[in-house]
Amino acid sequence: MSVQEMTVQEVAKKVLNNEKLFVLDVRTEDAFEDWKIESESFTYLNVPYFDLLDGVEEIMDQLPSDQDILVACAKGGSSQMVTEMLEEAGVKNAYSLEGGMKAWSEHLEPVKVSDLDNGGELYQFVRIGKGCLSYMVVSDGEAAVIDATRMTGIYTDFANEKNAKITHVFDTHLHADHISGGKKLAEESGGTYWLPPKDAGEVTYEYQPLQDGDHVSIGGTTIDINALYSPGHTIGSTSFVVDNRFLMSGDILFIDSIGRPDLAGKAEDWVMDLRETLYSRYKELSDELIVLPAHFMIMNELNEDGTVAEKLGVLFEKNHGLNIEDQDEFRKMVTENLPPQPNAYQEIRETNMGKIIPDEEKQREMEVGPNRCAVR
């Protein structure tokens, strides 16, 4: 028996449009508490699949009749079985999440940020289930991608739709929470792959060193990296200014928090680099720059148009991590408020260095779970 399914694209639209949805998550309680499909408009019920093997009768009175029910599991198999049981029990508004939470983790939603002054365009790719943000600058038939995920096909397809060739691919730093698609995308497109050399000491592949003060033109647009070496999350972290209006802050500064300095095991060494970047280097920039980070933490950080963005001046007023005058208090706040390490982060770092090459299924497993790049 085939059951009704809902795609991750359809779920993403509901999240972005603040539509109501009832989510019946049939993973274990620990998995659900660690990471779920987030939306303030969604209602949740977590009942592990194994508790439903004898039937769904005990949960029928907890299910709504006036809105869709999305059944979610890890990979899509258990949710199909539960959806089938619900349909057999007379529920007509139940849908299995196609591909499960693994597919949800991989979905990218392109959102236009702005037109650029010379006719180019800037897009943000929202990895809504993982909290990752990547970017594409399109100008005069060329494109640059910043902080690409491993799902490289969406960038090449999107560039083709824009009649643009990807000529440059950048990583703001060596990522530890997700597998970068930067090197792969550059190879596929014939573009140049840029990486900060201070993060590249152990990489096994060739790259173009991304140095403080470099200027790279994309069609008629200049990605300006001048004076924006911005260590703290990693020792090589580098920010970008696009079109003199947009600050791509990588994992240094988020809308509601700041980057963690410990994913290479050097929190005490890098915490003051983080402070120097946020409290000195960024302070020298225009308050009018629009900050575009590489991650978001909670759904509240999304604007009404689906973007994650805010003026730098507003963040200096409202972001707690930017308003701690005492250095010792800052050090304590950063080093004592670190969330758990991202899942498989050591393996992810080694993958991004080229030291190991996991197969596709292993890479999916390594990335499952929430974003954990920020200080709490």
Side-chain angles (χ1 to χ4, degrees), residues 179 343-344 347-348 351 356 358 362-368:
I179 296 169
N343 293 340
E347 289 179 285
I348 290 174
T351 301
I356 60 174
K362 176 62 175 176
Q363 290 185 39
R364 297 182 82 186
E365 293 284 352
M366 288 161 60
E367 288 193 333
V368 166

Side-chain angles (χ1 to χ4, degrees), residues 142-145 165-170 191-194 216-218:
E142 296 183 8
V145 178
K165 176 177 174 57
I166 296 173
T167 53
H168 295 276
V169 183
F170 300 85
T192 301
Y193 176 59
W194 298 77
V216 181
S217 293
I218 310 300

Side-chain angles (χ1 to χ4, degrees), residues 135-193:
Y135 298 89
M136 182 181 290
V137 179
V138 181
S139 180
D140 293 339
E142 296 183 8
V145 178
I146 298 150
D147 287 331
T149 69
R150 63 181 173 81
M151 287 74 72
T152 57
I154 188 169
Y155 305 108
T156 53
D157 291 346
F158 195 84
N160 288 337
E161 291 175 11
K162 297 294 178 182
N163 296 314
K165 176 177 174 57
I166 296 173
T167 53
H168 295 276
V169 183
F170 300 85
D171 269 323
T172 55
H173 63 287
L174 186 78
H175 297 279
D177 72 305
H178 70 278
I179 296 169
S180 168
K183 181 63 175 175
K184 177 183 175 184
L185 181 59
E187 291 173 348
E188 291 172 344
S189 63
T192 301
Y193 176 59

